[in-house]
Amino acid sequence: MNPNNGLQQEHAPPLDIEPARRALLDVRTEVGKAIVGQDAAVTGLLIALLSDGHVLLEGVPGVAKTLLVRTLSTALSLETKRVQFTPDLMPGDITGSLIYEARTSEFTFREGPVFTNILLADEINRTPPKTQAALLEAMEERQVSVDGVSRALPTPFIVAATQNPVEYEGTYPLPEAQLDRFLLKLTLPLPGRDDEIEVIRRHSEGFDPRNLPAAGVRPVAGAEDLDAARRAVSRVAIAPEVVAYIVDLVRATRTSPSFQLGVSPRGATALLSTSRSWAWLSGRSFVTPDDVKALTLPALRHRVALRPEAEMDGGRVDDVLSGILATVPVPR
């Protein structure tokens, strides 16, 4: 797995694990039929679904961000709709709008693509802030308000947004308020040599990313399995010492000389919920400090901002967070 995401591969699960966890692990196996070398991102998306949160996927073009989301939704039997974010995209193009029906002389609401289980917001930073803000209510309240009427979104519902980290011309950086709505920020690196050889081998043998059933990807879980898994995650215990460890990590970001913006209490709750999901997915009924460490970077990296002088010195957010992990005392 990508060490920058902190999620390490677990050992094979025992045969007597609960059905919900078995189903989620089967999903990870199915995704591997189409995706090579992005295990950390796959696990991160599963953790986001278990924690009922949204994900920001960052990587250069061609590292399978869109394919990853499509494959995951296929394996989970969830509906996915894709929106290509462009400078001329309007809020109603996402949320839906009132349409005048000449036959009835009435306005009726036509649902936008946000009414789905997984909304793939492709290149979210290519649309203006007004349209980006159209997602805020949906992400936080799980509803859409049009003409004073609130309409609930399906359950489950998450936003999986992608952005390109290297091309900034014609983009609109996400404001801190919207970045904070994302539970995790996952980075998808370029594949290693062996993984890239496997990718090319699959394509040489006829792999078609537009035809996932032909690649053997099949539904192995559903919304019922995800609901059962979420209930199981809510029962994962977390000791007061581990809660205090989370708080100490978050508070350390606020006093770090490298950061001009530290992590808010929302970030602390995100680290708590994702640590519980990771512990359950790993087969434990309690959270360990190692679970917290594994999720610190993906849960917090988008909630902090480097000081200009730190950026000029070549500082990186992940390096500063790793330094904090190395200095904050770990509970025994």
Side-chain angles (χ1 to χ4, degrees):
M1 286 190 175
N2 174 19
N4 292 330
N5 279 328
L7 303 175
Q8 302 300 317
Q9 184 69 54
E10 293 293 316
H11 296 296
L15 296 178
D16 59 346
I17 63 174
E18 57 192 295
R21 180 170 169 251
R22 170 70 65 188
L24 269 292
L25 293 176
D26 287 344
V27 166
R28 193 159 60 179
T29 301
E30 289 299 306
V31 173
K33 295 178 180 179
I35 304 296
V36 178
Q38 300 292 359
D39 293 343
V42 175
T43 301
L45 276 167
L46 286 176
I47 288 173
L49 281 164
L50 288 171
S51 306
D52 196 19
H54 312 289
V55 179
L56 183 61
L57 301 170
E58 186 175 88
V60 299
V63 293
K65 299 185 294 294
T66 301
L67 180 60
L68 170 58
V69 177
R70 288 180 49 239
T71 308
L72 180 71
S73 64
T74 298
L76 273 168
S77 304
L78 297 178
E79 182 185 38
T80 297
K81 293 180 181 177
R82 176 181 176 271
V83 178
Q84 180 65 51
F85 279 63
T86 57
D88 60 348
L89 193 71
M90 299 298 292
D93 296 331
I94 302 171
T95 60
S97 57
L98 294 174
I99 304 297
Y100 180 73
E101 298 285 355
R103 183 174 55 84
T104 60
S105 300
E106 294 180 349
F107 285 93
T108 58
F109 179 71
R110 181 174 296 173
E111 293 183 349
V114 75
F115 286 86
T116 188
N117 297 126
I118 303 178
L119 177 66
L120 175 55
D122 227 348
E123 297 188 289
I124 191 173
N125 57 336
R126 291 199 174 277
T127 201
K130 181 179 180 180
T131 305
Q132 293 174 359
L135 277 178
L136 288 178
E137 181 186 16
M139 293 173 70
E140 187 66 19
E141 306 295 337
R142 301 309 200 269
Q143 67 178 25
V144 167
S145 297
V146 177
D147 198 33
V149 178
S150 297
R151 296 172 172 85
L153 296 174
T155 301
F157 169 76
I158 73 165
V159 173
T162 72
Q163 66 177 15
N164 182 349
V166 297
E167 188 178 351
Y168 295 105
E169 184 177 352
T171 63
Y172 304 84
L174 294 176
E176 284 78 8
Q178 187 156 357
L179 281 172
D180 206 38
R181 295 297 199 282
F182 286 98
L183 186 73
L184 297 173
K185 179 182 177 182
L186 304 174
T187 58
L188 280 72
L190 288 168
R193 183 176 183 273
D194 290 343
D195 287 335
E196 193 160 7
I197 289 174
E198 175 63 16
V199 170
I200 303 305
R201 184 192 66 79
R202 292 187 183 188
H203 279 267
S204 71
E205 294 179 355
F207 171 72
D208 183 358
R210 293 173 294 276
N211 189 357
L212 293 176
V217 179
R218 59 190 176 88
V220 293
E224 301 82 6
D225 297 299
L226 185 58
D227 185 56
R230 286 177 172 180
R231 291 196 302 270
V233 168
S234 69
R235 297 191 293 269
V236 172
I238 181 164
E241 296 82 3
V242 179
V243 172
Y245 181 52
I246 291 174
V247 172
D248 289 342
L249 288 172
V250 167
R251 292 178 67 85
T253 67
R254 302 172 194 163
T255 58
S256 170
S258 298
F259 289 146
Q260 64 178 352
L261 175 68
V263 177
S264 70
R266 179 185 285 155
T269 61
L271 186 52
L272 168 66
S273 63
T274 54
S275 297
R276 290 177 106 169
S277 296
W278 176 233
W280 178 83
L281 198 60
S282 302
R284 289 186 296 278
S285 60
F286 56 91
V287 177
T288 69
D290 284 340
D291 297 324
V292 176
K293 287 182 176 181
L295 271 301
T296 294
L297 267 62
L300 304 186
R301 58 163 61 108
H302 56 298
R303 306 175 193 271
V304 295
L306 285 171
R307 293 187 183 278
E309 53 269 30
E311 286 190 279
M312 292 176 63
D313 291 338
R316 296 173 61 251
V317 167
D318 282 9
D319 293 338
V320 178
L321 288 174
S322 296
I324 289 174
L325 280 172
T327 55
V328 173
V330 180
R332 295 184 179 276

